Structures are given as structure tokens and as C-alpha cells.
């Protein structure tokens, strides 16, 4: 490398098998949130309190013994890392408010509504390899118009306000009446160091 030059990080690309694995892993969780109000309230409380131990117990009730790489909360959302084979390591899914806008805010009713809205998309990704491949192609080519079309074909909520590509994944923004904040359902890959 020449003096004064810095190494540029390789762009992270999304992978079809990773997105499908994530969908299969997360579907039981979203179904539990959508169908069980008590569970959704407990989950939201654990997220607000950044109580990872409680989140871990609740997550296990939904997904059983499926392995996870990591589980995190920032008091306004959560992130679940699903393990992938090396060198990929993980794919992340979560629902969160943009950091810096508020603290200790995570509404169980909004989370339930988002879960109900995204279940058809995750089902389609898990069951339909062609749909999953089209989603991944749109993300990797940074084609937001195509991604929006694909997502809106399965997520039919009028409260879905944005579909964008950022980093290495898709970010679905939901704004519900009575909530001051946009909640983002996210799927992305990152380097783990």
C-alpha cells in the first residue's frame, strides 16, 4: 500500500440464505408478539429497562433453543443477532426508535402492530426463495424503488411510512397514530470484531 493511502472496507452484501434463515428464526417471535398481549407488554418493559436476562427468557419462549449470537437493547429498541457461518458471522433483526430522540420508550401496542404487519413479509421470505432473492438483489443493488415495491406487496399497513436501504440492509419505518416516534423494523449485516 502506498504511503498516505488507507484501506477501504469492503462493502457488506446481503445473502439470500441469511435473510431466509433470519425470517425462519424470527417468525415465531413476531407471531408471539402479535398474538399475545401479555407477552408483548413483558417484552416492551424488558426493552425499556435494557433487561437482557428477561429478554433472553422471553425470546426463548418464542423461538425455543434456536441459537442466537447476541441480544441487545438500547432502551428504545432491540437487536437480535442470528449466527451465520464464517466469514459472515451474523445477521441482525430488530425494531427500534432512532437513537437520540428519546430514552426508555418502547410501546408494546406499536410493537404488536408492527409485528402483525411484517409477519406476511417474513413468511414470504422464508417460504419463497424467489421473493427472498429479489429482496436481496434490491438491497445489494441499492434499488430502493424496487425494494419498496417488494416490501409493500406483503406489508400492507397504511402506517408503513418508509422503506429504505442503508448500510447492508432494509429499514422499514412505521408511524402510528398516538406515537410521537417512527419505529424501524430492521434487517442488516455488519462486521463483527
Amino acid at each position: 500500500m502506498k504511503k498516505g493511502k488507507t484501506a477501504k472496507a469492503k462493502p457488506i452484501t446481503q445473502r439470500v440464505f441469511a435473510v431466509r434463515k433470519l425470517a425462519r428464526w424470527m417468525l415465531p417471535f413476531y407471531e408471539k408478539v402479535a398474538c399475545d398481549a401479555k407477552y408483548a407488554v413483558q417484552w416492551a418493559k424488558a426493552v425499556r429497562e435494557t433487561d437482557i436476562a428477561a429478554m433472553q427468557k422471553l425470546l426463548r419462549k418464542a423461538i425455543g433453543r434456536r441459537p442466537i449470537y447476541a441480544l441487545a437493547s438500547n432502551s428504545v429498541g432491540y437487536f437480535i443477532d442470528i449466527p451465520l457461518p464464517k466469514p459472515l458471522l451474523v445477521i441482525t433483526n430488530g425494531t427500534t426508535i432512532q437513537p437520540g430522540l428519546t430514552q426508555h420508550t418502547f410501546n408494546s401496542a406499536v410493537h404488536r402492530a408492527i409485528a402483525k404487519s411484517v409477519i406476511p413479509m417474513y413468511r414470504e421470505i422464508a417460504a419463497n426463495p424467489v421473493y427472498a432473492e429479489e429482496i436481496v438483489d434490491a438491497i445489494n443493488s441499492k434499488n430502493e424503488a424496487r425494494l419498496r415495491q417488494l416490501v409493500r406487496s406483503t406489508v400492507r399497513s397504511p402506517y408503513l411510512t418508509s422503506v429504505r436501504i442503508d448500510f447492508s440492509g432494509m429499514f422499514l419505518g412505521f408511524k402510528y397514530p398516538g406515537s410521537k416516534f417512527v419505529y424501524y423494523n430492521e434487517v442488516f449485516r455488519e462486521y463483527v470484531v
Side-chain angles (χ1 to χ4, degrees):
M1 185 178 294
K2 291 183 180 178
K3 189 175 179 183
K5 300 276 185 179
T6 57
K8 200 173 186 185
K10 272 176 44 176
I12 300 173
T13 56
Q14 200 54 266
R15 303 288 179 90
V16 175
F17 83 90
V19 172
R20 294 189 75 210
K21 179 179 181 178
L22 179 136
R24 288 191 302 271
W25 252 239
M26 294 303 296
L27 261 172
F29 170 73
Y30 285 124
E31 288 166 346
K32 184 82 170 157
V33 169
C35 296
D36 186 338
K38 183 179 176 187
Y39 179 89
V41 166
Q42 292 171 336
W43 179 264
K45 181 177 186 280
V47 168
R48 287 191 304 273
E49 295 175 356
T50 63
D51 186 343
I52 303 301
M55 290 170 64
Q56 180 85 324
K57 286 179 186 173
L58 288 164
L59 185 61
R60 290 288 165 219
K61 286 182 181 179
I63 70 167
R65 298 177 61 160
R66 290 177 171 165
I68 61 168
Y69 185 88
L71 178 62
S73 170
N74 58 3
S75 86
V76 295
Y78 62 89
F79 304 93
I80 301 168
D81 291 344
I82 308 297
L84 299 173
K86 288 181 181 181
L88 304 180
L89 295 180
V90 301
I91 185 168
T92 302
N93 185 226
T95 300
T96 188
I97 298 168
Q98 183 179 333
L101 298 178
T102 185
Q103 291 183 327
H104 308 289
T105 301
F106 192 79
N107 184 295
S108 64
V110 169
H111 188 222
R112 285 188 77 204
I114 291 169
K116 289 175 185 176
S117 295
V118 299
I119 285 170
M121 179 185 71
Y122 287 111
R123 277 191 187 138
E124 192 68 14
I125 289 170
N128 184 344
V130 173
Y131 180 78
E133 187 172 340
E134 289 182 12
I135 290 270
V136 168
D137 286 347
I139 292 168
N140 289 339
S141 66
K142 308 275 190 250
N143 187 341
E144 283 191 345
R146 179 64 178 141
L147 181 63
R148 230 179 340 269
Q149 180 184 39
L150 290 163
V151 168
R152 289 189 182 278
S153 74
T154 55
V155 180
R156 296 202 169 93
S157 170
Y159 304 110
L160 175 63
T161 58
S162 65
V163 177
R164 63 183 172 85
I165 298 167
D166 198 3
F167 195 43
S168 62
M170 60 181 178
F171 295 74
L172 283 56
F174 292 86
K175 177 74 169 71
Y176 285 89
S179 172
K180 293 192 296 187
F181 305 105
V182 176
Y183 284 70
Y184 293 93
N185 184 261
E186 307 172 352
V187 175
F188 60 92
R189 280 191 45 231
E190 61 184 328
Y191 289 116
V192 177
V193 291

